[in-house]
Amino acid sequence: MRAVPASPPVPVVSRSFDVLVIGSGIAGLSFALKVAQLGHSVAILTKKNKADSNTNWAQGGIAVVTAETDDFAKHVEDTLVAGDGLCDRAVVKQIIRDGPARIRELVELGLKFSRDHDGEYDLGREGGHSERRILHVKDMTGKAIENALLKSIAREPRVSLFEHVFAIDVVTTGKLAGLVAGKKTARKPAAGASDAAPNRIAGVYALDVRDGRVRTFHAPVVMLSTGGAGQVYLYTTNPDIATGDGIAMAYRAGVEVRNMEFIQFHPTALYSLSGKRFLISEAVRGEGAILRNAEGEAFMTRYHPLADLAPRDIVARAIDAEMKRTGAPHVWLDITHRNAAFLRERFPQIYRFCAAEGIDIAKDKIPVVPAAHYTCGGVATTTAAETSLAGLYACGEVACTGLHGANRLASNSLLEAVVMAHRGAASVNAYLRQARKTAAPALVIPDWKDHHAGDEDERVVLAHNWDELRRTLWDYVSIMRTTKRLERARTRIANLSREIQEYYWNFSVDPRLLELRNLVQVAELIVECALQRRESRGLHAIADYPKKQRRAESSKLRRKGG
Ligand code: SIN
């Protein structure tokens, strides 16, 4: 696939837009395109390059009903079963029904999903799906969608894309003040705001990574589409950017966050001594790969009737149990019964990556381990992508709509991203039109106050804190939990949180510090939600409470005073 050429750097000045989009994955780009086509000016802020997103790493594809043998009811049922009683049925139906229309739009943008020899869609199968329904572009679906969207965005004059601009905090008209890496931002309400008026979005503070200056972006609407938070764990399939920025920002602004304990561990990441965890798509098992333990046994038949294609939480826990039982550092994924030509064609990226690691997947078994993969909870939203704060919206992995419940069905996330981006664009359009009618006073956000006194201590401590946090989550908040372990994690995270507020006060703001601040915030949310849930459900397995409660309820957190 040819990469989209990089655009020249856009000079960042403080500016006003109708809409700010934070993040440049499939959710953010789809939304930006649609809301711009409705006539609004849009700025996309992305902390790295525009193509650095979780989307780019998505191998599997988009789960959507297209086959004659399939229907919406089956897809709904599979989603509800995977979600283990915690999905919102109405949301699930809505998102699944909207799927085919959104896929047609992607095809109109030029996306070419893989087809079989008869020219029909080559539908993949993944864990928990009762039908083959995964549309894919070989094993590079995310990259293909991202490229198609970036090309369309480049042609849209109402969209400005700012690379290397890191959104620090949303600014609201209310009294909530952000704490920025130990630096207090202006505490007074944005000029033009009145105490009596409901709290709403005024814009964001964002760091221009290239010159280290903090800028102000004014807008009545902010769409968070920053993806998930896999980097809070030592081992993850996620790219480096997945540091939970949107979830942390929303929480700091007093917005409700839900179900953060449900972190999905992908069962099959390539085991490598480097510590990096390259994803081996579940679609490989969809094409017949079998998991084997250190003794060579195909163990999944002992754990679930669907064996290797059981829902992900069950497969990940089974692998964890087998590794603990045998003492082996990984299990094996065996696809050696398929020939090399098929594997090269269907999984070119996986084939190449494994070959570079010295593994010929047509001949050798692949060493695999679970790794943190997807944040099922997040910023609570309606099916119109609205959060509890007027003007703040969220879509994609950062959001919690009620689709995934306690465990996401494979390949439902790209579907949710495109559907919610579309629905979000419609609701933002209505919000902006209404806001124009009521003619609220123009808001002026005070400039960022820099507290950098130049007497910062060693920066290496930042790296130590990153390691400590990610190791803590991996050791104490992983696939199998106990209350004692969660409490140990809580104490350690509280220490880190205190350091963020005190130790780093004099540090100049930089991306690693901002990310650490967000990761610590997200870690707190994961642990607090996990301690709230006194049952084992979906991805949250806790030895002290092995049973499910009769009533399924979402865990909810909202910052006091928010
Ligand atoms: C995979 O290809 O196994 C990952 C797809 C997903 O997480 O939905």
Side-chain angles (χ1 to χ4, degrees), residues 44-90:
I44 303 174
L45 312 187
T46 182
K47 64 181 177 177
K48 292 225 168 131
N49 295 313
K50 57 195 170 191
D52 288 325
S53 70
N54 270 356
T55 304
N56 240 342
W57 290 40
Q59 295 178 1
I62 301 194
V64 69
V65 174
T66 56
E68 275 177 18
T69 52
D70 201 3
D71 59 39
F72 291 137
K74 286 189 201 168
H75 190 176
V76 168
E77 187 55 24
D78 292 346
T79 302
L80 295 176
V81 169
D84 205 7
L86 205 64
C87 302
D88 182 325
R89 185 183 285 269

Side-chain angles (χ1 to χ4, degrees), residues 59-60 126 266 279-283 312 373 408 410-411 413:
Q59 295 178 1
E126 293 185 49
H266 196 288
L279 180 68
I280 307 291
S281 174
E282 201 155 290
R312 243 174 226 182
H373 182 63
R408 178 184 63 106
S411 288
S413 41

Side-chain angles (χ1 to χ4, degrees), residues 136-285:
H136 61 95
V137 182
K138 301 192 180 210
D139 60 355
M140 294 173 284
T141 313
K143 195 178 272 179
I145 299 177
E146 180 88 15
N147 282 347
L149 286 168
L150 282 172
K151 278 187 190 148
S152 302
I153 289 276
R155 289 193 292 265
E156 176 50 64
R158 292 190 191 90
V159 179
S160 311
L161 203 151
F162 297 93
E163 294 180 298
H164 305 285
V165 174
F166 192 137
I168 300 173
D169 266 314
V170 295
V171 183
T172 67
T173 56
K175 293 197 172 115
L176 281 174
L179 274 173
V180 180
K183 298 167 190 289
K184 289 187 173 58
T185 57
R187 276 195 177 269
K188 60 181 183 210
S194 114
D195 275 355
N199 197 21
R200 63 191 164 89
I201 284 290
V204 304
Y205 286 120
L207 172 72
D208 183 343
V209 176
R210 286 188 273 213
D211 69 6
R213 291 182 60 187
V214 176
R215 319 280 176 171
T216 309
F217 285 80
H218 290 78
V221 166
V222 171
M223 170 61 85
L224 299 172
S225 49
T226 48
Q231 288 295 333
V232 78
Y233 285 89
L234 188 57
Y235 299 116
T236 177
T237 61
N238 291 182
D240 292 346
I241 50 102
T243 50
D245 303 333
I247 298 171
M249 263 191 273
Y251 181 75
R252 285 194 293 266
V255 168
E256 185 179 299
V257 168
R258 270 191 220 146
N259 289 349
M260 287 298 293
E261 68 276 39
F262 297 116
I263 299 293
Q264 185 169 72
F265 288 79
H266 196 288
T268 58
L270 181 66
Y271 173 74
S272 138
L273 292 178
S274 75
K276 285 276 176 201
R277 293 289 182 255
F278 177 75
L279 180 68
I280 307 291
S281 174
E282 201 155 290
V284 178
R285 274 175 285 137

Side-chain angles (χ1 to χ4, degrees), residues 168 180-183 207 211-214 448 450-457 459 462 503-514:
I168 300 173
V180 180
K183 298 167 190 289
L207 172 72
D211 69 6
R213 291 182 60 187
V214 176
W448 175 268
D450 195 352
H451 290 256
H452 183 211
D455 55 352
E456 56 189 58
D457 200 356
R459 278 216 157 225
L462 254 180
Y503 178 78
Y504 290 114
W505 178 262
N506 286 320
F507 276 53
S508 57
V509 178
D510 85 351
R512 292 297 277 174
L513 178 52
L514 293 172

Side-chain angles (χ1 to χ4, degrees), residues 437-451:
K437 272 192 217 148
T438 52
L443 295 166
V444 181
I445 302 172
D447 280 347
W448 175 268
K449 285 213 171 62
D450 195 352
H451 290 256

